[in-house]
Amino acid sequence: MINKTKAIVLKRMDFRETSLICTFLTQDFGKVKGILKGIRADSKKFASSVEPFSVNEIIYYPVKTGELHLVSAAELEENFTNIRNDLNLMNIANYLLDLTDSLLAVEDKNTDIYKLLFKSLDALNNQKDATKVQTIFQIRALFYSGFKPHLDSCVSCSNQLDFQVKFSNAYGGLLCSKCMQKDKQSRSIFRGTIATIMHIEKNNFDTLMNMGLHPQIKKELKIILSNFIEFHLEKRLKTQKVINQIDKRINETVKL
Ligand SMILES: [Zn+2]
């Protein structure tokens, strides 16, 4: 059997002298790992250099045992050149790849995340608000992969939420006033931030790119989401660290 599908490159790694091992997010088969033999020895053998976040049409032979398939063809369809010419956009695109890779298990079909990643890269490439793209991606990727925070009732006692609530990473959502002392690390959160997360979960990408985001909510979302994701993925995503360092440097420059 041969599989043919569109695929976004999540990760690439040199293998031996002449080959590459790539992790792809495919449109039809989920996250797939494959070896491209001889690609580094003969650049014309494949019609793509399979750079991270490029979109390719790939053909591969699924192996029966293990998860490393043999990729026989890769043809470049979209390279997102504008992203590659901008360091900040590159860092955000790499973060989206890293998050996708961490959220998904191999060979677990997820067409929604494929579409979301493609649309997010396309928006970055068209110079849309990069922070907004990142926020929408984080919330919708958590939603599609089953990691979404619990926001519609108290995550601990299931009671309706009262006026005072706190957001808990450990419990994975909102705690009511009676339960909030169960997690000393839980933090207060604006009503508007909760409403924005729920709004982003319910609407499609194009609609969301047109919504306004209050700077204060944008800022709070950034903190809440990166802490939540870090907590649940049990490691700080390397790319998130890079973005934090750049943010810090920008802020320092502004102060000067
Ligand atoms: Zn409760």
Side-chain angles (χ1 to χ4, degrees), residues 154-159 175-179:
C154 173
V155 65
S156 171
C157 72
S158 304
N159 282 345
L175 291 172
C176 72
S177 55
K178 287 193 202 79
C179 298

Side-chain angles (χ1 to χ4, degrees), residues 129 131-132 134-136 138-139 151 187-200 208 211-226:
D129 180 343
T131 309
K132 197 195 258 184
Q134 188 185 351
T135 304
I136 294 171
Q138 286 173 313
I139 293 169
L151 304 174
R187 54 168 290 154
S188 45
I189 177 170
F190 295 127
R191 285 267 144 183
T193 304
I194 301 168
T196 304
I197 298 175
M198 291 171 110
H199 179 77
I200 292 175
L208 294 168
M211 78 178 168
L213 255 185
H214 192 279
Q216 214 173 4
I217 287 177
K218 213 174 186 177
K219 205 170 144 195
E220 190 173 65
L221 278 172
K222 204 170 183 179
I223 299 164
I224 295 239
L225 291 171
S226 51

Side-chain angles (χ1 to χ4, degrees), residues 114-131:
Y114 178 88
K115 281 188 206 151
L116 174 67
L117 182 59
F118 182 87
K119 283 201 172 259
S120 303
L121 292 168
D122 191 51
L124 290 177
N125 197 51
N126 287 305
Q127 329 268 335
K128 299 276 164 62
D129 180 343
T131 309

Side-chain angles (χ1 to χ4, degrees), residues 49-67:
S49 49
V50 286
E51 296 296 329
F53 64 81
S54 65
V55 185
N56 301 270
E57 185 166 80
I58 62 165
I59 295 174
Y60 71 94
Y61 298 82
V63 288
K64 289 189 183 72
T65 50
E67 53 183 39

